[in-house]
Amino acid sequence: MTDYKAVFFDIDHTLFSHSQHRIPESTWQALRELRRKGIMLFIATGRQYGEMHVLDEDWSFFDGFVTLNGTLTLDRDGETIISAFPIEGEARKSVERLFYDRTLPLLIVEKERMYANMHDGAVEKAQAFLDSPLPVLADIDPEEPIYQLIFYAGEGREEGIMSLFPGCVGTRWNDFAFDCISALGGKDKGVSAMMAHYGWTVDQCIVFGDGGNDVSMLAACPSSVAMGNGRQEAKDAASFVTKDIDEGGVAWALEHFGVL
């Protein structure tokens, strides 16, 4: 049996149920049992550290945070940077051009701040998927690193948009939105950095996800779980597909891997 040291969880539709508007009690029970056994718990999300408030309890319950799709990995204090991969070079210049053209809704995510250039129906639908309000409208700070972009655009538009962002990759998490990050990042990179920080390897962890932005870590880690409610590309990448989040899927997968 593998000597598991850590478990990483995506948030939306993996830990956090958007039908219950909370983390299911069966999942909390599983998390507490993992903690009792000395297994470390980490978040691996597309969200900012400042958005951890969606977790039902004090998020210091978790030992560290792979945030912004692996482009900014933070220790448990939320301040100490373990790895960082901002958008730079020609891609950064494209951000500013597209942002102020206002032909496409674009959200910019920094370490502490996120803001958009405009709102439309796609923004409303994507934010509703996250149970989140419409993003604030603001201007770019030219001195602040940008770690992630969210383009509010439907299926099939990725290729044209991403051609403007060399050195970056896009991952879709909703029918109305997809993320763009540096190709140096990815949740797989964040998980690897966190495990290396503790002197472990990725075969000593279990990772959970449901969306396109989870595919890299699901494919990179031998013990990987896609939620039953997840997108097909996540299921295809994972080594195990569990039940729906609202059917005790997290606990069921942990039993499958022998840690509960």
Side-chain angles (χ1 to χ4, degrees):
M1 181 183 295
T2 302
D3 180 21
Y4 292 112
K5 302 294 186 182
V7 184
F8 291 78
F9 298 94
D10 173 56
I11 293 179
D12 296 288
H13 305 280
T14 298
L15 268 186
F16 187 88
S17 167
H18 287 263
S19 60
Q20 298 184 41
H21 305 288
R22 63 186 300 271
I23 296 177
E25 183 53 35
S26 65
T27 300
W28 269 123
Q29 291 176 1
L31 295 177
R32 294 183 188 110
E33 181 63 13
L34 291 175
R35 170 70 71 209
R36 188 188 69 78
K37 291 187 172 187
I39 295 174
M40 297 184 76
L41 306 176
F42 297 99
I43 295 296
T45 181
R47 289 176 176 262
Q48 277 181 320
Y49 176 76
E51 296 180 278
M52 297 302 108
H53 60 78
V54 300
L55 303 175
D56 295 346
E57 297 186 8
D58 183 351
W59 55 86
S60 63
F61 185 84
F62 295 90
D63 296 295
F65 305 88
V66 176
T67 70
L68 304 178
N69 288 323
T71 61
L72 186 62
T73 297
L74 304 169
D75 210 347
R76 67 181 304 152
D77 61 6
E79 291 294 330
T80 304
I81 295 176
I82 292 173
S83 65
F85 305 102
I87 293 172
E88 298 178 323
E90 288 300 316
R92 170 74 188 229
K93 295 176 184 177
S94 290
V95 171
E96 300 190 12
R97 287 195 299 270
L98 191 57
F99 190 87
Y100 290 115
D101 281 348
R102 292 188 171 89
T103 56
L104 176 70
L106 167 61
L107 181 97
I108 287 178
V109 188
E110 302 165 354
K111 183 176 184 292
E112 306 288 347
R113 196 170 67 122
M114 67 172 66
Y115 49 92
N117 61 345
M118 60 184 286
H119 296 155
D120 70 359
V123 178
E124 294 172 358
K125 291 172 182 175
Q127 294 302 109
F129 177 79
L130 298 175
D131 286 339
S132 296
L134 293 177
V136 298
L137 303 179
D139 290 324
I140 295 174
D141 180 346
E143 302 301 320
E144 191 68 26
I146 295 173
Y147 290 101
Q148 181 172 288
L149 308 172
I150 296 178
F151 295 107
Y152 296 96
E155 299 271 5
R157 297 188 64 188
E158 292 94 331
E159 184 175 354
I161 294 169
M162 291 304 300
S163 68
L164 303 173
F165 295 88
C168 294
V169 293
T171 54
R172 181 167 290 280
W173 51 268
N174 179 267
D175 291 342
F176 304 98
F178 69 93
D179 296 332
C180 171
I181 61 171
S182 167
L184 298 175
K187 289 191 181 183
D188 59 325
K189 305 297 196 308
V191 169
S192 294
M194 187 69 80
M195 292 297 285
H197 178 68
Y198 284 95
W200 302 325
T201 59
V202 295
D203 61 350
Q204 294 176 287
C205 72
I206 303 171
V207 297
F208 282 77
D210 72 285
N213 60 344
D214 298 309
V215 167
S216 68
M217 73 170 179
L218 294 173
C221 298
S223 300
S224 58
V225 180
M227 303 303 294
N229 51 279
R231 293 175 68 92
Q232 188 59 47
E233 59 262 43
K235 295 177 181 179
D236 291 343
S239 63
F240 181 71
V241 178
T242 190
K243 298 178 182 179
D244 188 284
I245 183 175
D246 295 320
E247 298 173 351
V250 167
W252 195 59
L254 292 169
E255 291 172 5
H256 167 80
F257 284 106
V259 293
L260 287 186

